[in-house]
Each structure stands twice: as C-alpha cells, then as structure tokens.
Amino acid sequence: MNKKWVAGIAFLLTGIILVDACRKPEELVEEDHNEWLTGGSQTVFDRGASAFGHAFPFLSADKARVHEVGDLAFEATFVTAPARLNPGLGPLYNSVSCASCHIGDGRGKPPGPGEALLSMLIRVSVPGTDAHGGPNPAPGFGGQLQQRAIVGKQPEAQVQLSYQEQTYYFADQTPYQLRYPSYALVNSYIPLPAGMMLSPRVAPPVFGLGLLEAIPEQTILAMADENDRDGDGISGKANMVWDVQANRRTLGRFGWKAGQPTLLQQSAAAYNEDMGITNFMFPQESSYGQAQHELLSQEMDISDSVLHAVGFYIRTLAVPGRRNANTPEVLRGKSIFTQAKCASCHVPSVRTGVNVSFPEISNQKIFPYTDLLLHDMGDELADHRPEFDANGNEWRTPPLWGVGLTRTVNGHNNFLHDGRARTLLEAIMWHGGEAAYSRDYVKKLAKPDRDALIRFLESL
Ligand code: HEC
Ligand code: HEC
Ligand SMILES: [Ca+2]
Ligand SMILES: [Ca+2]
Ligand SMILES: [Ca+2]
C-alpha cells in the first residue's frame, strides 16, 4: 500500500483518539509506540542476516539509485594496477573492500588463534600531535599499520594477538571470565620507532549513521559535562577533530574515539588507509615517506563520484526495529538499564535536526542509545593512545541499536573496540572509569535480573 496513505490513516486515527482522550488517556502513550521505530521513519523490520543492509525505506527513486551505486562500490574488491576493474589497491593495505571488514554492514572481530587480522586494524602513533592536533604519525608507519602489501612491496609489520584469561565473580558467586588481549608487532620492515602506541580496533557496524550525522551539533554539546558539574560521576566530552573539507576543527562523531567528523571523510580515510585507494580528500598513498614508496600515477584511484556514492550509501542505511520490546522480562531489563545508569551515556533517544533538503533524515525521533561523547572507561579498556581531544582512557559511547542482531548478522558476539568481549555481559563487565558504578551495579544483580538486562539489550 502507498506509505503516505498509511501515515495519513494513522494521523486520522490519532485525531479520533485525541477527541476521546479525556476518557482513555492510556492510548496516547506515544513513547511506547515510537520505541519500536529505532531509526524513526527509516526503520526496517528484518530480524535476519541482512538486517543491517537495507536502504532507507522512504528514499526517493533518484536517491535510491545513488544508494545502489554506493552499495556496489562498498562491496567492490580492489586489485593491483593495471587492471580494468577496481585497480589501485595498495601498495600498502589492510583489506581489499569495505565489505570485507564491515561484513553484512555489521562489525568485524579479532583474529582467532593463528589467524591473520581480517576485519580489524591497528592505529599507531608516537607521543605529540600533528599540525591539526591529531595523532602524531609514527615515522615510517604513519597513523595506521598496514599488515598487507601488493607483490614487490613489504607490509609494515605482522600482528600477533594473545589473550590471558582472568576469573571474576558476581556477588552471587557465579564466576565469569574476561580475556585480556595483548598485541605484538613482528617482522616489521624497519625497526619500530621508540614509544610507538598501538590502538587495535574492530570494524564497527555502519547502519543508521546518516541519522547520527543529522543530530544537531548543539544537541550533542548540550549533553557534554566535561567537568562533571552535576556531580553524577559521568562527564562526557566532545572530541573536536580535523575536518578536511571545512579546513577547521569540528565535532567528531564517527570511529571508536569519535575521530572523524563526517561520513564522507570517514569513507575517504578508509579508502586511503585501509585499502590504499587514493581520492580527492586523501590524494597521498599511505606509503608516502617510506623508502619503498614510488610515485605510480598522479591520478586518484577512485573518482569523486564513487567516493560520494559510498558516503551516500553509508548515510542511507536503515536501522533495524526492536524485537520483543514489550515482554515482561525485557521491560524489567529496561528499568535495570536505567537504574544502573547505563542511560547516562547510552542515551536512549534523540531528535535529528530539521533538514529541508533531505527530508528522509529530517526531524526524526531516533533511539540510538548513545550520546556520541567521550568517556573515561578505566585503565583496563585504555589504549593509551590519544586522538585529538580523546585521551588514552577515553572512548566514544557506541550506539546500542541493533546489538541484539550481531550474532544473526555476523555470527559472533564480540564487542568493544577490540572485540575482546565475547558476550554482551562480558562487554558490561569490562566497563570501568566513569562507568564503574554501572558495572558494579550489574555485578550485584541476581541472575534473573542479569538475564533481564541482557534480554533488553538483545531486543535493541
Ligand atoms: C581493515 C578493515 C576495514 C576496512 C577495509 C574498512 N573499514 Fe571502515 N572501519 C574499520 C574500523 C576499525 C573502524 C573504526 C575506526 C576508528 O575507530 O577510528 C571503521 C569505521 C568506519 C565507519 C564509522 C563507523 C562508526 O560507527 O563510527 C564508517 C562509516 C566506515 N568505517 C566506512 C568504511 C568504508 C566506506 C570503507 C571502504 C571505503 C571501509 N569502512 C573500509 C575497519 C575497516
Ligand atoms: C560512562 C559511560 C557509560 C556507561 C555508564 C555505560 N556505558 Fe556501555 N559503553 C560505553 C563506552 C564508551 C563503550 C565502548 C568501550 C570500548 O569499546 O572500549 C561502551 C560499550 C558498551 C557495549 C558494547 C557495544 C559495542 O558496540 O561493542 C555494551 C553492550 C554496553 N556498553 C552496554 C552498557 C550497559 C548495559 C551499561 C549499564 C550497565 C553501560 N553500557 C554503561 C560507555 C558507557
Ligand atoms: Ca593505490
Ligand atoms: Ca602505515
Ligand atoms: Ca555529570
């Protein structure tokens, strides 16, 4: 049926209920209904393996076409030049396509024992900052480690990951294990610079990001409380990062430390660093400055229109709606979520700004469960590598929408920036720093309450 008609009928019905409001106020609880629509009008109801990969349902025909062009580019596998299709890979790279890390538009994971890095990468830098206040590139390695290279070139280094398990106990004496990762770089093509800092990161999901980009900057800044003036133990700090196109520092929103201001720049940087694909925003190969660097061609590896199409694709990926949001157990879990102060950082809902030229993302009430701000998460989660205003202990609150579908889409339940958590509950038990209260609250819960909290997260 024509969707506008459905909306129209719903509007008429609301009017009828309004007339009747003095007798039956319960029927007007708008909140409960909206909560199922995680991405506002751009919500899709698919609980299967493609749940993260749908275009906005209300996208005009011409926009839907650009989305499709971007979809193909996101999946395209790059190869070594010269080739007719998608040449320009490398010389240094982490992976050959966007989709090989953001599998099913979802998240990556750390390698298993003996495996190579496939859907994660390692950021590197040395103490100090670059000209724009960002991470100081490590001499010979830049801002990111590429563990792969085309034939005839040397990868920067190989990565070895090992874990050490430690057992802890909930207040009811039930044990749980956390695995502590440690990363070592081996076979580096030159000796590692002294004091090089590493930040391992898995690929986060990429749906719903156009809606997050549409949240007004003031809305996010208003949630910040850098010096914790209200004394609730939770600060929340904006990351002001370098915006290449605007040529100034602006609010960062994307990446595990909110180090990127826009989806276009995030995509352009990914092409350049992750795949060795030069583009108008980042025209220099990541191997620049290395002895093995040579100028292959003055031309960009991809056209401006391909980059814009991929940025648009990411901007217009819909959000999966809630499942089982109203079962008694999920509702109990939801109130535990609030009592444990999870919602102080994972802020349930927010409204996007008015945007007359892009009505699909304009003025939508969405439920991303994030404030997009940085929080000190304690020493155990720290990467000790600053990124603009984010210090080594700080991470951006990740959105929780869709987390319950991770296993269905990606076949694993690895969470947090480096995928160290193997379940949602482990992810919570890693929380420290500003979130120590929340973690301790969960530690004291009885098993049925812990389960209810997890059921709630699984319904998101
Ligand atoms: C080697 C794996 C890898 C490849 C290939 C890759 N990404 Fe990513 N992507 C990541 C990681 C890791 C992050 C988090 C980066 C950070 O924290 O700064 C990320 C972050 C993102 C984000 C921000 C997500 C968020 O929630 O903030 C977007 C958007 C994105 N990538 C798009 C792309 C696009 C488009 C491509 C292809 C041009 C691509 N990625 C290729 C690993 C990858
Ligand atoms: C002080 C802010 C804060 C509070 C309070 C908080 N979180 Fe988080 N949460 C974060 C940050 C930041 C991360 C990312 C940390 C990382 O990746 O190392 C995170 C990660 C997560 C993740 C993993 C998400 C992903 O994409 O990998 C889950 C699940 C989660 N939190 C649930 C909760 C629950 C449930 C509570 C309450 C018991 C809670 N959080 C309280 C800030 C917070
Ligand atoms: Ca290239
Ligand atoms: Ca590098
Ligand atoms: Ca506060």
mmCIF file of all heavy atoms in Angstrom, residues 88-106:
data_model
loop_
_atom_site.group_PDB
_atom_site.id
_atom_site.type_symbol
_atom_site.label_atom_id
_atom_site.label_comp_id
_atom_site.label_asym_id
_atom_site.label_seq_id
_atom_site.Cartn_x
_atom_site.Cartn_y
_atom_site.Cartn_z
ATOM 1 N N GLY A 88 44.280 -0.189 -8.315
ATOM 2 C CA GLY A 88 44.803 0.835 -7.398
ATOM 3 C C GLY A 88 45.020 0.366 -5.982
ATOM 4 O O GLY A 88 45.444 1.126 -5.113
ATOM 5 N N LEU A 89 44.734 -0.924 -5.724
ATOM 6 C CA LEU A 89 44.929 -1.458 -4.364
ATOM 7 C C LEU A 89 46.364 -1.198 -3.899
ATOM 8 O O LEU A 89 47.320 -1.377 -4.647
ATOM 9 C CB LEU A 89 44.662 -2.964 -4.362
ATOM 10 C CG LEU A 89 44.851 -3.695 -3.028
ATOM 11 C CD1 LEU A 89 43.773 -3.287 -2.034
ATOM 12 C CD2 LEU A 89 44.843 -5.208 -3.221
ATOM 13 N N GLY A 90 46.500 -0.791 -2.649
ATOM 14 C CA GLY A 90 47.825 -0.628 -2.053
ATOM 15 C C GLY A 90 48.594 0.547 -2.617
ATOM 16 O O GLY A 90 47.980 1.458 -3.142
ATOM 17 N N PRO A 91 49.921 0.560 -2.529
ATOM 18 C CA PRO A 91 50.823 -0.565 -2.229
ATOM 19 C C PRO A 91 50.637 -1.192 -0.834
ATOM 20 O O PRO A 91 50.855 -2.385 -0.680
ATOM 21 C CB PRO A 91 52.218 0.036 -2.382
ATOM 22 C CG PRO A 91 52.031 1.512 -2.340
ATOM 23 C CD PRO A 91 50.663 1.786 -2.856
ATOM 24 N N LEU A 92 50.257 -0.395 0.171
ATOM 25 C CA LEU A 92 50.018 -0.978 1.491
ATOM 26 C C LEU A 92 48.519 -1.004 1.741
ATOM 27 O O LEU A 92 47.801 -0.095 1.331
ATOM 28 C CB LEU A 92 50.692 -0.125 2.567
ATOM 29 C CG LEU A 92 52.203 0.075 2.415
ATOM 30 C CD1 LEU A 92 52.709 1.027 3.486
ATOM 31 C CD2 LEU A 92 52.922 -1.266 2.483
ATOM 32 N N TYR A 93 48.039 -2.024 2.409
ATOM 33 C CA TYR A 93 46.603 -2.073 2.696
ATOM 34 C C TYR A 93 46.310 -3.019 3.849
ATOM 35 O O TYR A 93 47.147 -3.830 4.243
ATOM 36 C CB TYR A 93 45.802 -2.469 1.449
ATOM 37 C CG TYR A 93 46.087 -3.866 0.927
ATOM 38 C CD1 TYR A 93 45.230 -4.925 1.230
ATOM 39 C CD2 TYR A 93 47.192 -4.133 0.123
ATOM 40 C CE1 TYR A 93 45.478 -6.206 0.750
ATOM 41 C CE2 TYR A 93 47.443 -5.405 -0.357
ATOM 42 C CZ TYR A 93 46.586 -6.444 -0.048
ATOM 43 O OH TYR A 93 46.835 -7.700 -0.512
ATOM 44 N N ASN A 94 45.098 -2.880 4.382
ATOM 45 C CA ASN A 94 44.618 -3.793 5.410
ATOM 46 C C ASN A 94 43.674 -4.823 4.819
ATOM 47 O O ASN A 94 43.651 -5.977 5.237
ATOM 48 C CB ASN A 94 43.866 -3.041 6.516
ATOM 49 C CG ASN A 94 44.760 -2.070 7.245
ATOM 50 O OD1 ASN A 94 44.652 -0.859 7.062
ATOM 51 N ND2 ASN A 94 45.663 -2.600 8.049
ATOM 52 N N SER A 95 42.848 -4.367 3.866
ATOM 53 C CA SER A 95 41.886 -5.283 3.280
ATOM 54 C C SER A 95 41.506 -4.781 1.892
ATOM 55 O O SER A 95 41.875 -3.665 1.516
ATOM 56 C CB SER A 95 40.659 -5.396 4.181
ATOM 57 O OG SER A 95 39.964 -6.589 3.888
ATOM 58 N N VAL A 96 40.776 -5.603 1.132
ATOM 59 C CA VAL A 96 40.558 -5.320 -0.288
ATOM 60 C C VAL A 96 39.209 -4.683 -0.597
ATOM 61 O O VAL A 96 38.959 -4.254 -1.717
ATOM 62 C CB VAL A 96 40.703 -6.608 -1.132
ATOM 63 C CG1 VAL A 96 42.151 -7.094 -1.100
ATOM 64 C CG2 VAL A 96 39.761 -7.697 -0.632
ATOM 65 N N SER A 97 38.293 -4.629 0.376
ATOM 66 C CA SER A 97 36.992 -3.984 0.147
ATOM 67 C C SER A 97 36.440 -3.499 1.477
ATOM 68 O O SER A 97 36.828 -3.993 2.539
ATOM 69 C CB SER A 97 36.003 -4.967 -0.483
ATOM 70 O OG SER A 97 35.655 -5.972 0.451
ATOM 71 N N CYS A 98 35.525 -2.535 1.390
ATOM 72 C CA CYS A 98 34.880 -2.052 2.610
ATOM 73 C C CYS A 98 34.117 -3.204 3.277
ATOM 74 O O CYS A 98 34.172 -3.404 4.487
ATOM 75 C CB CYS A 98 33.877 -0.940 2.305
ATOM 76 S SG CYS A 98 34.492 0.424 1.302
ATOM 77 N N ALA A 99 33.418 -3.971 2.421
ATOM 78 C CA ALA A 99 32.518 -5.003 2.946
ATOM 79 C C ALA A 99 33.263 -6.167 3.599
ATOM 80 O O ALA A 99 32.675 -6.924 4.361
ATOM 81 C CB ALA A 99 31.617 -5.521 1.826
ATOM 82 N N SER A 100 34.576 -6.310 3.307
ATOM 83 C CA SER A 100 35.297 -7.429 3.918
ATOM 84 C C SER A 100 35.577 -7.174 5.394
ATOM 85 O O SER A 100 35.859 -8.101 6.145
ATOM 86 C CB SER A 100 36.600 -7.704 3.166
ATOM 87 O OG SER A 100 37.443 -6.576 3.238
ATOM 88 N N CYS A 101 35.526 -5.919 5.811
ATOM 89 C CA CYS A 101 35.651 -5.618 7.241
ATOM 90 C C CYS A 101 34.284 -5.392 7.877
ATOM 91 O O CYS A 101 33.984 -5.915 8.933
ATOM 92 C CB CYS A 101 36.515 -4.385 7.443
ATOM 93 S SG CYS A 101 38.271 -4.711 7.242
ATOM 94 N N HIS A 102 33.458 -4.583 7.181
ATOM 95 C CA HIS A 102 32.097 -4.314 7.683
ATOM 96 C C HIS A 102 31.182 -5.377 7.094
ATOM 97 O O HIS A 102 30.336 -5.089 6.241
ATOM 98 C CB HIS A 102 31.655 -2.909 7.282
ATOM 99 C CG HIS A 102 32.545 -1.830 7.808
ATOM 100 N ND1 HIS A 102 32.485 -1.398 9.114
ATOM 101 C CD2 HIS A 102 33.519 -1.096 7.226
ATOM 102 C CE1 HIS A 102 33.374 -0.436 9.302
ATOM 103 N NE2 HIS A 102 34.023 -0.236 8.180
ATOM 104 N N ILE A 103 31.340 -6.606 7.569
ATOM 105 C CA ILE A 103 30.647 -7.738 6.957
ATOM 106 C C ILE A 103 29.141 -7.617 7.181
ATOM 107 O O ILE A 103 28.683 -7.453 8.311
ATOM 108 C CB ILE A 103 31.195 -9.053 7.541
ATOM 109 C CG1 ILE A 103 32.697 -9.140 7.236
ATOM 110 C CG2 ILE A 103 30.462 -10.260 6.985
ATOM 111 C CD1 ILE A 103 33.464 -10.035 8.176
ATOM 112 N N GLY A 104 28.385 -7.681 6.080
ATOM 113 C CA GLY A 104 26.936 -7.513 6.169
ATOM 114 C C GLY A 104 26.574 -6.154 6.740
ATOM 115 O O GLY A 104 25.546 -6.015 7.398
ATOM 116 N N ASP A 105 27.404 -5.154 6.494
ATOM 117 C CA ASP A 105 27.257 -3.812 7.067
ATOM 118 C C ASP A 105 27.302 -3.837 8.593
ATOM 119 O O ASP A 105 26.891 -2.890 9.264
ATOM 120 C CB ASP A 105 25.975 -3.127 6.569
ATOM 121 C CG ASP A 105 25.945 -3.048 5.049
ATOM 122 O OD1 ASP A 105 26.800 -2.340 4.497
ATOM 123 O OD2 ASP A 105 25.107 -3.715 4.423
ATOM 124 N N GLY A 106 27.818 -4.929 9.124
ATOM 125 C CA GLY A 106 27.919 -5.092 10.570
ATOM 126 C C GLY A 106 29.354 -4.960 11.040
ATOM 127 O O GLY A 106 30.142 -4.225 10.439
#
